[in-house]
Amino acid sequence: MSYATMGSKVGSLLVESTGRGGSGSDAALNTFQEQWAGSWVNGRLMLSHLHLTFLPSRAATSKGMLKLETVDVTGVEIGPGLVTKTIGVRTEGHLVQFRCTGGADKFAEMIAQAARDARDPGLARHL
């Protein structure tokens, strides 16, 4: 399995609960949401084949870091906008919104592809 970063974007992240069940990543999302009090957090979102990781810029340590497994991603959507767009990443129990500029469409497709690959057992062993 590869842990190499496939891409990264700087922007702001917001976590919202949908009130439905939960996966392994939903526990991390609950913790992040409680820690940051449901506010937009500036930082960097990084994608690898296995994880979607957000590093807040105002956190001096990895304490505020959020790490989701790509296998837990159930959907990816892109919001409208000319300069700034929002990438919506859904898990079983949360909606993660990431607001960024430039290249949001391509980054959203990369996240969706990583999620599809993570759920394909034939591909997973070759990553």
Side-chain angles (χ1 to χ4, degrees), residues 31-72:
T31 301
F32 186 88
Q33 190 175 23
E34 290 170 10
Q35 181 177 14
W36 295 101
S39 61
W40 286 94
V41 180
N42 295 325
R44 177 173 294 277
L45 187 64
M46 297 176 293
L47 174 67
S48 73
H49 289 284
L50 300 176
H51 298 102
L52 191 58
T53 306
F54 180 74
L55 296 170
S57 59
R58 61 181 169 179
T61 66
S62 62
K63 178 180 170 185
M65 183 178 79
L66 172 65
K67 185 178 271 190
L68 307 176
E69 294 185 32
T70 53
V71 71
D72 291 335

